[in-house]
């Protein structure tokens, strides 16, 4: 989906460290991780629902 190289990742981490500081960065990473996990779960649930509906319509 997204192609992020090592160089881009380092730049993002350095900017985040500079903007948020070393004290708040771990909490921010935890929040982002939870948000990404919930987003992924929602995406997978919706994808599964679409697959189930597609299978129902093709069987009828």
């Amino acid at each position: 989906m997204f192609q992020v190289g090592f160089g881009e990742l380092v730049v993002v981490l350095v900017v985040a460290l500079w903007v948020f500081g070393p004290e708040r960065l771990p909490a921010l990473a935890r929040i982002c991780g939870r948000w990404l996990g919930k987003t992924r779960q929602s995406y997978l649930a919706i994808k599964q629902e679409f697959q189930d509906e597609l299978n129902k319509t093709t069987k009828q």
Side-chain angles (χ1 to χ4, degrees), residues 3-60:
Q3 294 181 356
V4 178
F6 182 73
E8 290 96 356
L9 189 60
V10 169
V11 170
V12 168
L13 290 174
V14 168
V15 169
L17 184 61
W18 180 63
V19 170
F20 296 108
E23 300 85 23
R24 293 179 17 197
L25 201 56
L28 181 66
R30 251 188 319 276
I31 291 169
C32 287
R34 284 187 195 134
W35 182 78
L36 287 172
K38 288 181 183 182
T39 302
R40 185 167 187 246
Q41 281 180 334
S42 297
Y43 167 75
L44 292 175
I46 292 169
K47 182 179 174 183
Q48 186 63 42
E49 283 184 41
F50 274 116
Q51 289 294 331
D52 292 344
E53 288 298 320
L54 253 149
N55 289 337
K56 281 183 188 177
T57 58
T58 56
K59 289 181 182 178
Q60 291 179 349

